[in-house]
Every structure is written in structure tokens, then in C-alpha cells.
Amino acid sequence: MRKRKYPQMSRVQRFGTEGFFAVPKAVATFLMLASCVSPTASREYLVHNMPEYEKLAATLAPGDIVTLANGDWKNAELIFEAHGTAAKPVTLRAQTKGAVILSGRSNLRLAGEYLVVSGLVFRNGYSADSDLISFRRKQGVVASNSRVTEIVIDNFSQPDPEEGENWIALYGHDNRVDHSHIVGKASRGVTLAVIRDDPQPMPDRHRIDHNYFGHRPPLGSNGGETIRVGTSDLSRSDSKTVIEENYFEECDGEAEIISIKSGGNIIRRNVIVASQGSIVLRHGDGNVVERNVILGKGKPETGGIRIINARHIVRDNYIEGVTGTDFYAAIAIMNGAKNPPLNGYSPVTDTLIERNSIIDSAQVAIGAGAGDKRGVSPTRTTFTHNLVVGKDGVSPFTVGTETAGIAFIDNRLSEAPADLAATMAAKPVTLARAANGLLYLADAADKSFGAPRDLAPVARSEVGVSWYKSAAAKN
């Protein structure tokens, strides 16, 4: 029988999947010996420094748990490469959640499959690589079926804002990032990016859920997205990533808070508060944006949902107090270009926009960006059963293009848009705020208009981590 080589280090070997407990010395010795003769036995290790970690990392097997000791891990470049199974993942975790601080020039790279990382804090430093947390060790060596959960990244930005990095880069497929607290990115680069295989990517099927994305100051240029899925060069294929039940607050990096550059994605049940930007279907077809709550709070340049390309469904969303216009409008249906390049603006077609509430917002833009370079109007698009209540008695609709390709069917409006008078008429509207904090038509008989009454916006307390507090983070 092949003997495992174990690193010689000062370590405490524990047992149990949820926590530590003491065992008598004799029992511990027996269990340690048993693990040497059972090739399928899981092992648990407590490591105190990088040399210990690096020696151990090469030996990991399904079910093993590596625990980083509490303390400041300065200039720690962790490579977590192993192969677990669905039943026995390989785990890297903090001894105490929030008490393991990766500082200085640190980063984490995952590779293999069925890996779990939890409880770490990145603070007081900046990434040692172009990706801070990467689901890839190097080109072609990626992580799949893996999870990063309950991670904190707090103001871990490059000293030079122009020298950026991605804070979290998802490679591979079927990975998950969840229940993490991510705040203060001040340098160029995406907060969380799905980076797809080239040249012919298959669906990634990642899940991004229950994260808190906090304050990100304006970058002043392109390249400050909070989430981006794909890139223009690979946008004609489906990623099938799900972004759900995240909370975005003061994410002001750039015009695209969630930038979709691939097809087949679902963006649902997220809450966006006082953030300068929009959910943008920039490239790719067949995306679904549903049951999101966007609260502009009257902040300048807060946006809603911008629609480009084909076969999208935008439904059951609630948008209130958004001040942006044109590209930042509460709903922006853009004009497209004829035969655009991959990084251009494809025309909107075969798209459904239904049962959305747009309340007290500055603009609903039909044909946003229309001009010589974008002269193709939307076609085969339906705008139906939406509730649109203007600000200060003024219709928010602006029309910059031909509207014959858009069917405006049975919407409820507080003010009639002059440019669309032939297709939409106004009717007096009375609103009442429901227990979920959202405004609905006071007459329950009108419940077919606007966002559904059973919306349950994810609460701030339901996302991120409960154990982390920082004066530097905006909570």
C-alpha cells in the first residue's frame, strides 16, 4: 500500500466537519495512525505560516480540511490546488471567521475541482497579481465545481488607481461566490468578473448570490464594473450565469454596475441602492432580468436597466427614485447599429418588457443613443402591463427613434407621453406603500400592472457576513 507523505510541521490535527473539539492524546494518536492506513480517510490540519501551508498543499486529498491559524498573514500568495468530490470537497478555511487577515501583497488562486474556501479577510494591502481571488492557477489550469463563501475584501486596492486588478475572477465552470462582503474598490478593474474560455466557450453556469457589494467610488472612466459576465469578443455564446439576491449599495464605479456581455444569463431578486449606474445588457442574447429592486434615492446618475441585443426578458422589476437619463434611464431601450462589430451596439429585437414598476424616476428612454452610428430602431419588442408613474406630474417617456417596432400594450400610466399618445393613454393613479416597502396601485383590482405584490427584496442582513465590522467599510 502506498504511504502518504505528511509534512513535518507544528500542527494540531482535529476531527469533525463543523468545528474543533479536543480529543484525548491516545485517541488522537490512534486516529492519526488510522489515517495513514486508510487511503480514503479525511484529514484536518491547522497551519501557522506559508512554509507549513505550501508543504501541506501538495498532499491534499478528497475530504481534507486545511485551517489557517488566526493572525496576520502578510504577503501571503496562496495556491489552493486539489481535487475533491461532490461528497468530499477539499476545504481551506479560517480558524476563526474574520480573524485570519491576508495583508500586504497577497492573493489566492484556486485550481482543481470541488474546493471550498471560507472565512478569510483581505485588508491592509493590495493584490500580488492581476486577480486577487482567481479560480485559476495559470492559463488552462482552472477550478470548477468550487465555492468561495464568507470572504471579506475591504479596500484592498492598488495604490495607483490606474493599475487595476479584478478582485474576484471566475474561470472554469459551475463555481459559486456567495455570502461575502466586498467593499471599497478604488482602482481600475472589475470587482467580480466571469472570464470565459477562448476560442469557443461552453456555458459557465456560475452562481453569484447573497453577497454585499458596498461603496465603490467613481472611477471616472470605463473599467469600473461591479460585476461583468463575459467580454464582447465571446459574447455570441451563452454563459448561463445566475446573479441573484445580492445587495449593491453606493456602487458608483461606472455606468455599468452589472455588465452582461454574454447570453443566457439570469439576473434576479437583487437590490441596488443609491448606485450610479445600471444593469446593462451590453452584449449577448436571451438574458432574463427579473424581480430586481432598484432604489435610486434621488442620487444623481442613478440608473435602471439598459437593453441592447435580442431575445431578452425584462419583467417584474421595481424601479423607484432613479434620476438618470439617456443611458442611465430607468428603462433605456437603445438604438442599434446596422452590422455592428462585436464591441458595437446590436439592435434590440424580439424582447419582452412586462410588469415593471417605474415610479418617481426621471426617464424612460425609447431609442436611447440614437444617431448616425446607431440608426436601427428596436423591432418585434413588446412593452406591456408596466406601471409608469412620473415625477412631479411629468411623463418620463422620451422618444428618440421610430417606435413602429415596439408594441405598447395595456400599460398603466399617470401621465400620457406626448410622443406616444396614439399607443398609450394616462389614467389617474393612486399609490400605497405595502409591507415590503414598495409602492403599488392602491386599488388591488389593478394588480396586473407593474411589479408583483409578492416581491420580497433581499434584506441587507441576509447577505454578506454577520461577523465582520470595519470603520473603513460603509455598512
Side-chain angles (χ1 to χ4, degrees):
M1 179 178 295
R2 179 177 61 88
K3 289 187 178 180
R4 296 188 183 275
K5 291 184 179 180
Y6 296 103
Q8 298 300 314
M9 64 180 74
S10 174
R11 59 173 168 75
V12 179
Q13 190 166 17
R14 309 281 201 224
F15 297 87
T17 58
E18 297 299 327
F20 299 140
F21 59 90
V23 294
K25 183 176 180 180
V27 176
T29 302
F30 171 78
L31 291 173
M32 289 174 65
L33 291 172
S35 71
C36 294
V37 298
S38 174
T40 60
S42 299
R43 304 168 297 172
E44 223 177 291
Y45 297 97
L46 177 65
V47 296
H48 301 84
N49 52 52
M50 284 301 297
E52 285 187 3
Y53 175 81
E54 289 167 352
K55 186 177 287 188
L56 173 64
T59 74
L60 297 174
D64 287 353
I65 299 172
V66 181
T67 301
L68 301 185
N70 292 344
D72 186 2
W73 289 64
K74 189 172 184 179
N75 300 328
E77 297 187 52
L78 294 167
I79 297 175
F80 183 39
E81 183 171 9
H83 295 270
T85 67
K88 290 188 173 184
V90 183
T91 300
L92 173 65
R93 67 184 184 184
Q95 182 179 15
T96 303
K97 294 175 182 179
V100 173
I101 311 299
L102 286 90
S103 63
R105 298 200 66 192
S106 296
N107 69 318
L108 168 65
R109 285 176 282 172
L110 294 79
E113 56 187 348
Y114 296 105
L115 310 175
V116 178
V117 179
S118 68
L120 309 179
V121 175
F122 290 85
R123 191 177 66 203
N124 300 327
Y126 57 96
S127 177
D129 201 352
S130 58
D131 298 329
L132 174 58
I133 299 176
S134 177
F135 284 69
R136 182 180 78 169
R137 180 170 65 82
K138 64 179 182 179
Q139 181 73 35
V141 183
V142 302
S144 295
N145 297 297
S146 296
R147 180 183 184 191
V148 169
T149 184
E150 291 193 273
I151 294 293
V152 171
I153 309 176
D154 184 352
N155 290 275
F156 207 77
S157 296
Q158 297 286 341
D160 180 359
E162 292 301 313
E163 186 181 347
E165 75 289 289
N166 300 315
W167 268 4
I168 301 174
L170 281 163
Y171 297 88
H173 61 83
D174 296 285
N175 294 311
R176 183 183 181 192
V177 176
D178 67 284
H179 292 89
S180 292
H181 181 98
I182 304 165
V183 297
K185 192 173 197 315
S187 57
R188 183 181 299 279
V190 185
T191 304
L192 191 158
V194 173
I195 301 177
R196 311 189 63 219
D197 292 334
D198 193 13
Q200 294 182 332
M202 301 295 288
D204 310 292
R205 298 185 301 271
H206 299 307
R207 185 183 178 198
I208 303 162
D209 67 285
H210 292 89
N211 301 290
Y212 176 75
F213 294 96
H215 178 65
R216 180 168 188 181
L219 184 64
S221 62
N222 193 26
E225 303 97 328
T226 297
I227 294 178
R228 190 190 71 215
V229 182
T231 50
S232 59
D233 55 330
L234 302 174
S235 61
R236 290 180 177 169
S237 60
D238 288 350
S239 174
K240 296 188 178 180
T241 288
V242 176
I243 303 169
E244 63 183 351
E245 297 190 313
N246 301 284
Y247 198 102
F248 302 80
E249 186 171 24
E250 296 187 357
C251 293
D252 302 333
E254 64 145 86
E256 300 181 14
I257 299 169
I258 300 176
S259 180
I260 301 299
K261 296 185 176 181
S262 53
N265 302 290
I266 298 174
I267 304 96
R268 65 187 173 200
R269 299 194 299 271
N270 300 284
V271 172
I272 301 177
V273 179
S275 296
Q276 294 179 320
S278 303
I279 298 171
V280 180
L281 304 178
R282 184 63 183 87
H283 299 300
D285 301 327
N287 294 292
V288 176
V289 183
E290 63 183 358
R291 300 178 74 88
N292 300 284
V293 173
I294 302 174
L295 305 175
K297 300 287 188 179
K299 183 177 177 177
E301 296 185 344
T302 46
I305 301 167
R306 177 154 47 113
I307 304 166
I308 311 160
N309 305 296
R311 303 193 313 277
H312 301 307
I313 296 174
V314 178
R315 66 185 172 202
D316 297 344
N317 299 285
Y318 182 93
I319 304 170
E320 182 183 350
V322 166
T323 63
T325 59
D326 201 25
F327 284 24
Y328 288 83
I331 296 287
I333 307 173
M334 288 203 62
N335 255 32
K338 185 177 181 180
N339 300 318
L342 283 173
N343 64 348
Y345 286 81
S346 295
V348 175
T349 186
D350 299 293
T351 288
L352 176 63
I353 305 164
E354 67 172 346
R355 296 192 307 271
N356 301 286
S357 293
I358 302 102
I359 297 172
D360 196 23
S361 295
Q363 192 178 84
V364 174
I366 311 298
D372 293 339
K373 293 183 178 180
R374 291 188 286 268
V376 182
S377 303
T379 58
R380 298 193 300 274
T381 291
T382 301
F383 189 94
T384 182
H385 285 88
N386 298 286
L387 172 64
V388 184
V389 180
K391 182 178 176 62
D392 300 325
V394 177
S395 171
F397 284 90
T398 62
V399 178
T401 192
E402 171 61 48
T403 62
I406 304 176
F408 296 94
I409 302 172
D410 202 17
N411 298 284
R412 186 68 183 274
L413 315 178
S414 62
E415 293 82 26
D419 294 333
L420 300 169
T423 56
M424 289 195 291
K427 183 178 179 180
V429 167
T430 301
L431 300 176
R433 203 166 289 277
N436 62 3
L438 309 180
L439 288 167
Y440 294 93
L441 291 168
D443 186 351
D446 290 333
K447 64 183 179 181
S448 63
F449 298 100
R453 294 174 182 258
D454 65 350
L455 275 184
V458 64
R460 172 68 181 84
S461 60
E462 297 175 307
V463 302
V465 298
S466 60
W467 41 261
Y468 183 75
K469 300 295 181 184
S470 170
K474 290 198 171 186
N475 292 309

